[in-house]
Amino acid sequence: MNKVLISNIYKNNFEINSIITVCGWVRSRRTSKSGFSFISVYDGSCFHSIQVIANNVLSNYYEEILNLTIGCSVVITGNLTLSVGSQQKYEIKAKKIKILGWIKNPDTYPVSAKKHSLEYLREVAHLRSRTNLFGSIVRIRNSVLHSLHNFFYKNNYYWIPTPIITGLNAEGAGEMFRISTLDINCLPKNNNGFVDFKKDFFGQESFLTVSGQLNLETYACALSQVYTLGPTFRAENSNTSRHLSEFWMLEVESAFSNLNDILDFSEMMLKCIFQFVLDNCVSDIDFLKKNIDSNIFNRIEKLLLLDFIRIDYTEAIKILKNIEYNFKNPIFFGANLSSEHERYLVEKYFKMPVIITNYPKELKAFYMRLNNDNETVASMDLLLPGIGELIGGSQREERILILDKRLLELGLKKEDYWWYRDLRNYGTVLHSGFGMGFERLISYITGVSNIRDIIPFPRTVNSAKF
Ligand code: 4AD
Ligand code: MG
């Protein structure tokens, strides 16, 4: 079969009048009185569907074509022509339409043509991929992933596949998912009465990773500029529109770079991605503009033109203290900025992305570099309007004595981090890095606010269906 993708037709890869075969699914069908049916067919390769004109001289016109409903799978062969209608550029004058699969009961088809809520579509995640919206989200997601790899390739960063299975909590705190092959109903015990993990698959306690950063640092301290991009797991009970138990994170690590270098770099990276999306995802963005966020183009373009705001945590606290606004959570030096504080700063006060730097050490992980004031660490959180924290990062503590002190203060066993500490014992260097939640980025770009709708199959508290 000489199959062509609809995306290739729209790239002007075929001569008008040539005979082509398109495979896809019916989006809609209407019949004219003059013995024609107009069938809109999509194959997901791009936003566009293609209009197929079926004439009643086709052998299966009355028995089959007139019974086509949304979702039926079809193979169409015919002449490619320019459409006279203004709705679409191309159409196919069908010579043959083969129906591969019917819809069992069109009246109860879960993703029928009517408008469905996003909450409902989550219950049919195996079929929501067929809707225009989910097609657009996943194509944009794919373009962003591609542009990120491209961006790092061009900027001489090496991709490191950091492990998903780990024995360490890279953040030093927070709940992790345990992995084990022990019989949960008959756990082996050691002499102290505790579970004997020496008998487990890896001979030690093992978990799904919360971050690849510590492993990534080992390669930054050898290849200078590295990144990792993969699934990350957090067993926190955070039932919000911004948290997933399984999400994708981009992590970047750069030797001989300080906090300021990664502020510049992360801002430049985001601007490159936004530009790529505006240049390459026009039809999908246009669809989102009509259906999700009428301001989508301006919202993204605005960020390309302006510098992100950069302020110290101390300054952010001062601003929040001085405004007349009833926050639910108290605000004082040392307070964790909650999402209401972050959103106030980005959405109401600055109306721009804001990078907050130099948080008190008590609020941040053990690996962040202690500042000379002995109170704050060289950290950064990049906040976006509508999203809150998109990126978290820091300069890393490269001084072994201070790192050990921080581990001790936080009640972490330094022996557990022995290989990470070795980086400080053998040719230590100044280095910095950050992590970005991939779904949060796509949520910002698309304007689809719940990240359960950004990842194809969301895993959240009490939900791992599909
Ligand atoms: O701020 P976080 O926890 O930082 C780290 O994990 C560092 N090790 C990163 C680094 O420096 N290499 O997470 C980084 C980002 C957050 O800013 C957020 O965008 C995203 O990951 N994130 C989540 N996204 C979806 N669901 C969750 N449960 C998330 N937790 C964090
Ligand atoms: Mg963070």
Side-chain angles (χ1 to χ4, degrees):
M1 189 195 308
N2 193 11
K3 182 185 78 158
V4 308
L5 288 172
I6 296 174
S7 58
N8 267 335
I9 298 175
Y10 274 84
K11 283 176 198 151
N12 300 323
N13 281 347
F14 298 93
E15 267 181 41
I16 298 304
N17 260 329
S18 57
I19 295 202
I20 58 170
T21 296
V22 165
C23 305
W25 296 269
V26 172
R27 176 75 73 209
S28 64
R29 179 184 58 79
R30 66 190 166 83
T31 302
S32 82
K33 291 188 194 91
S34 44
F36 288 100
S37 264
F38 300 95
I39 310 160
S40 170
V41 172
Y42 72 96
D43 66 4
S45 63
C46 62
F47 177 76
H48 305 286
S49 21
I50 191 144
Q51 172 156 277
V52 176
I53 302 181
N55 189 323
N56 63 4
V57 299
L58 292 173
S59 61
N60 57 349
Y61 186 82
Y62 291 103
E63 308 81 64
E64 293 194 327
I65 292 171
L66 287 188
N67 290 316
L68 283 174
T69 56
I70 180 172
C72 291
S73 46
V74 288
V75 179
I76 287 135
T77 301
N79 293 85
L80 180 70
T81 56
L82 283 173
S83 177
V84 281
S86 58
Q87 300 270 317
Q88 64 279 316
K89 190 168 174 198
Y90 298 105
E91 54 196 26
I92 299 175
K93 294 218 159 58
K95 286 183 177 299
K96 188 175 170 197
I97 298 182
K98 187 174 168 196
I99 290 90
L100 295 181
W102 293 96
I103 293 295
K104 196 168 153 195
N105 185 348
D107 294 334
T108 56
Y109 182 44
V111 284
S112 61
K114 74 172 201 196
K115 210 168 162 73
H116 301 285
S117 73
L118 292 172
E119 289 76 16
Y120 164 76
L121 288 172
R122 266 173 236 149
E123 300 302 311
V124 288
H126 60 308
L127 297 172
R128 68 178 183 173
S129 44
R130 302 176 179 208
T131 62
N132 274 325
L133 177 62
F134 284 84
S136 287
I137 293 171
V138 95
R139 279 186 298 269
I140 290 175
R141 191 185 162 103
N142 179 68
S143 291
V144 173
L145 189 82
H146 171 79
S147 70
L148 276 171
H149 281 300
N150 223 4
F151 172 83
F152 286 109
Y153 189 76
K154 279 195 196 145
N155 283 285
N156 302 306
Y157 276 73
Y158 293 110
W159 174 64
I160 308 298
T162 52
I164 284 173
I165 298 172
T166 179
L168 263 192
N169 189 328
E171 293 302 298
E175 289 299 306
M176 302 171 86
F177 290 103
R178 180 184 297 287
I179 51 166
S180 171
T181 51
L182 293 178
D183 179 353
I184 201 164
N185 293 310
C186 182
L187 292 168
K189 298 280 170 68
N190 59 24
N191 292 339
N192 300 327
F194 294 114
V195 176
D196 187 359
F197 287 105
K198 288 204 179 82
K199 300 221 166 67
D200 207 346
F201 189 90
F202 294 109
Q204 62 168 76
E205 279 191 278
S206 309
F207 307 90
L208 296 178
T209 189
V210 293
S211 156
Q213 179 195 322
L214 305 191
N215 296 84
L216 195 61
E217 281 186 49
T218 68
Y219 275 76
C221 294
L223 275 68
S224 292
Q225 304 194 138
V226 290
Y227 72 105
T228 186
L229 210 176
T232 310
F233 306 87
R234 302 217 173 160
E236 313 152 4
N237 197 347
S238 300
N239 220 336
T240 80
S241 59
R242 305 184 308 129
H243 287 89
L244 292 166
S245 312
E246 175 181 321
F247 65 100
W248 279 58
M249 181 154 53
L250 164 80
E251 295 188 88
V252 180
E253 206 62 41
S254 184
F256 315 105
S257 296
N258 63 20
L259 183 68
N260 266 327
D261 296 325
I262 57 161
L263 299 187
D264 292 342
F265 186 76
S266 56
E267 183 170 342
M268 176 186 59
M269 175 192 83
L270 284 178
K271 288 180 171 167
C272 284
I273 304 307
F274 292 147
Q275 187 67 62
F276 184 90
V277 169
L278 289 180
D279 293 345
N280 293 279
C281 304
V282 178
S283 309
D284 286 311
I285 295 283
D286 213 34
F287 169 78
L288 294 168
K289 181 178 173 171
K290 288 182 192 123
N291 292 278
I292 299 287
D293 174 10
S294 56
N295 192 34
I296 188 165
F297 278 107
N298 296 342
R299 183 164 54 78
I300 301 176
E301 248 169 8
K302 182 181 157 196
L303 300 198
L304 293 178
L305 304 172
L306 301 170
D307 291 338
F308 294 4
I309 308 287
R310 296 179 186 189
I311 53 166
D312 256 29
Y313 168 89
T314 315
E315 210 178 322
I317 294 290
K318 257 192 219 144
I319 294 173
L320 292 166
K321 259 182 151 172
N322 285 338
I323 45 164
E324 301 223 341
Y325 194 83
N326 254 349
F327 291 117
K328 285 197 203 101
N329 300 288
I331 194 81
F332 54 92
F333 184 90
N336 214 344
L337 294 183
S338 61
S339 96
E340 57 169 348
H341 302 132
E342 295 179 344
R343 295 187 78 150
Y344 187 91
L345 288 172
V346 277
E347 288 162 27
K348 296 207 165 67
Y349 194 84
F350 290 112
K351 298 191 172 70
M352 270 296 290
V354 178
I355 312 180
I356 303 181
T357 49
N358 299 313
Y359 285 72
K361 63 177 178 186
E362 288 77 18
L363 299 179
K364 293 292 179 188
F366 67 91
Y367 51 71
M368 299 198 178
R369 192 181 198 275
L370 191 64
N371 287 327
N372 290 341
D373 60 13
N374 274 331
E375 265 194 357
T376 60
V377 283
S379 56
M380 63 162 304
D381 273 10
L382 188 152
L383 316 177
L384 283 187
I387 299 290
E389 181 188 332
L390 173 71
I391 292 180
S394 77
Q395 192 167 325
R396 313 309 189 191
E397 185 53 79
E398 85 283 12
R399 300 160 296 184
I400 186 70
L401 292 179
I402 300 180
L403 179 67
D404 282 353
K405 196 161 165 260
R406 290 288 292 137
L407 287 167
L408 192 69
E409 277 170 13
L410 290 162
L412 298 166
K413 286 198 221 125
K414 68 178 191 184
E415 309 79 63
D416 289 350
Y417 294 85
W418 67 272
W419 55 265
Y420 183 72
R421 294 172 57 253
D422 262 359
L423 303 179
R424 279 73 185 165
N425 286 325
Y426 302 130
T428 192
V429 289
L430 158 89
H431 63 291
S432 300
F434 62 86
M436 175 179 76
F438 189 68
E439 284 76 20
R440 290 192 190 174
L441 174 69
I442 307 299
S443 169
Y444 180 77
I445 291 173
T446 56
V448 173
S449 56
N450 194 321
I451 62 173
R452 291 175 173 91
D453 302 322
I454 298 297
I455 194 155
F457 299 103
R459 271 84 181 94
T460 52
V461 186
N462 283 327
S463 170
K465 267 191 249 166
F466 305 104

